[in-house]
Amino acid sequence: MVFIVIFLLIGLRNHMWFTKTEFPQKSRRFYAAITEYSSRLYHYQARLWMSKEQLELLKKESQALENNFREILFLIEQINVLKAVLRETQDGLHNHSQDAHADSSEAQNTTEITDEEIANLVNYVLKKLREDQIQMADYALKSAGASIIEAGTSESYKNDKAKLHWHGIGFLNYEMPPDIILQPDVHPGKCWAFPGSQGHALIKLARKIIPTAVTIEHISEKVSPSGNICSAPKDFSLYGFLKQCGGEEVFLGQFLYNKTASMVQTFELQHEVSESLLCVKLKILSNWGHPKYTCLYRFRVHGTPGDHT
C-alpha cells in the first residue's frame, strides 16, 4: 500500500513537471501517455480508498437486512400456511352448500367470489395478528407507569464484545437495561440479559392489582440471528409483596416456558391473593441450555385493578 501511494505521488509530480517542460513532439506524446495512465490509476485508488472507509457501515447494514430477511421469510411461511387452510375451509363450505342444479356460469361466478372472500379473510386474519394477541391489560407496562426496582434486580450480563469504540479502542460497555422487558418492542437482540441461568427482577406495577396471570414473550428460532433460542428462560416463579415492594414474599406460582410452543405464552397463577399488590418479583430458575447468560424479552402481569393507594 505504501509503495502504491509513493508511486502515485511520483506520477503526480512528474505530471506537473511534464506539463511545464518542453520536449520534442514524439517524446511529449510518450510522456503524456504515461502521465494520463498515472492519473487514472491515482483516481481509481482514491475511489477504492473511499469504499474501504464505508466498509464497517455496509457490514452493519448487511446484518440488519439479514435479520429483516429472516423475519420476512417467517411471515411469508405463516401467510402461505394460512392461505392454504383458509382455501380448504372455504372449499369445504362451498361444496357443502353448492346447488346441484347450478349451471357452469353460476359456478364460475361463485369461484370468483370465493377467491375474493379468501383475500378478505387473509387480510382480516393478518390485521388480527398485528393486534395484541393477549387482549388483557398489562400492568407491568413501562409506558403505563410500571418500573424496575434495580436494588432488587440481578446485575446485567457484561459482554466484552458489546462496547462502544473510538478509533478502534473500546471505552464503554453497553447492554440493554432491565426495563426493556416492560416494553412491547420485541426484536432480536432487544432483551435483558443476566449472567448464568438464574436471575430475578423486582417490578413495581403501574397500579395495585390482584394478579391473576402472567405472560412471557420470546423470539422464535426462525428470526434468531444465532438460529437457536437456548438463552430463553425455562423454569420461572412469581412472588408478590403485601407491603409495598419489600418484606415477606408471597408465592404466586411456578411455571415452565416451552420454547417449542407459541412465542407468547400466558400462565394463570396457581395461588390467589385477596389483597392488592403493587410489586412482584420474577425469578428465573433455569434456561434452555445457554452456559453464559439468559435473555428475557418481555414480561407482562395481568389482573384485576385494586384500590389506588
Side-chain angles (χ1 to χ4, degrees):
M1 179 61 70
V2 175
F3 174 77
I4 295 176
V5 173
I6 294 175
F7 174 76
L8 293 176
L9 291 175
I10 293 175
L12 184 62
R13 187 191 64 181
N14 290 340
H15 170 70
M16 297 174 64
W17 181 70
F18 289 152
T19 55
K20 295 180 180 179
T21 307
E22 295 184 359
F23 292 94
Q25 184 68 20
K26 293 183 178 180
S27 299
R28 288 185 62 84
R29 290 178 181 177
F30 173 74
Y31 289 121
I34 295 179
T35 303
E36 182 180 359
Y37 174 77
S38 299
S39 177
R40 290 181 179 180
L41 186 60
Y42 172 79
H43 289 298
Y44 172 77
Q45 184 68 19
R47 289 196 301 267
L48 186 62
W49 182 258
M50 290 176 62
S51 299
K52 288 182 178 180
E53 290 179 350
Q54 300 173 358
L55 184 59
E56 290 299 322
L57 179 61
L58 290 176
K59 285 182 178 179
K60 293 180 180 178
E61 292 179 351
S62 176
Q63 184 64 37
L65 287 174
E66 183 178 352
N67 292 339
N68 291 338
F69 181 68
R70 287 172 177 267
E71 192 168 353
I72 289 171
L73 287 179
F74 175 67
L75 291 175
I76 289 175
E77 181 179 350
Q78 285 187 322
I79 290 173
N80 289 336
V81 172
L82 181 61
K83 284 182 177 180
V85 172
L86 289 174
R87 184 175 291 276
E88 290 178 2
T89 304
Q90 194 69 19
D91 287 344
L93 293 174
H94 170 67
N95 293 334
H96 179 72
S97 60
Q98 185 178 16
D99 187 2
H101 302 286
D103 56 24
S104 59
S105 60
E106 290 177 351
Q108 183 177 1
N109 293 334
T110 304
T111 303
E112 294 177 355
I113 295 174
T114 300
D115 291 339
E116 183 179 356
E117 289 176 351
I118 289 176
N120 292 334
L121 284 172
V122 169
N123 292 331
Y124 173 78
V125 174
L126 290 177
K127 179 181 178 181
K128 286 297 181 182
L129 288 175
R130 297 188 193 102
E131 297 177 354
D132 189 89
Q133 301 176 25
I134 304 302
Q135 294 296 307
M136 288 190 291
D138 177 17
Y139 295 99
L141 186 63
K142 181 180 178 181
S143 59
S147 61
I148 293 287
I149 300 178
E150 300 209 5
T153 301
S154 298
E155 292 290 331
S156 298
Y157 175 71
K158 306 296 182 183
N159 187 359
D160 292 335
K161 295 181 179 180
K163 284 187 175 181
L164 297 176
H165 290 78
W166 184 75
H167 289 280
I169 301 174
F171 66 94
L172 181 64
N173 287 321
Y174 69 93
E175 61 273 331
M176 292 294 172
D179 63 4
I180 196 73
I181 68 174
L182 309 182
Q183 303 178 47
D185 187 10
V186 178
H187 289 89
K190 298 203 71 174
C191 64
W192 173 53
F194 55 83
S197 60
Q198 296 185 351
H200 54 271
L202 182 56
I203 303 168
K204 182 179 180 182
L205 304 175
R207 60 176 297 175
K208 279 191 171 185
I209 65 168
I210 297 177
T212 57
V214 294
T215 297
I216 283 186
E217 182 175 357
H218 202 83
I219 61 171
S220 70
E221 290 184 344
K222 293 185 178 180
V223 300
S224 173
S226 63
N228 66 75
I229 53 173
C230 60
S231 64
K234 185 178 180 181
D235 297 294
F236 68 96
S237 57
L238 187 72
Y239 292 81
F241 298 91
L242 297 177
K243 296 182 179 179
Q244 295 300 322
C245 297
E248 183 180 358
E249 298 179 353
V250 178
F251 178 71
L252 300 176
Q254 182 170 327
F255 316 94
L256 184 143
Y257 179 86
N258 187 355
K259 70 170 185 175
T260 61
S262 172
M263 296 175 292
V264 183
Q265 299 177 29
T266 300
F267 309 88
E268 294 185 1
L269 300 186
Q270 299 163 352
H271 296 274
E272 298 180 355
V273 291
S274 57
E275 298 182 35
S276 299
L277 306 179
L278 183 61
C279 292
V280 296
K281 177 177 282 189
L282 169 66
K283 293 184 179 181
I284 305 297
L285 307 177
S286 64
N287 65 21
W288 282 96
H290 201 290
K292 293 185 178 180
Y293 60 83
T294 301
C295 241
L296 187 59
Y297 275 85
R298 188 180 179 189
F299 178 70
R300 315 185 205 185
V301 179
H302 317 290
T304 305
D307 54 72
H308 296 274
T309 58

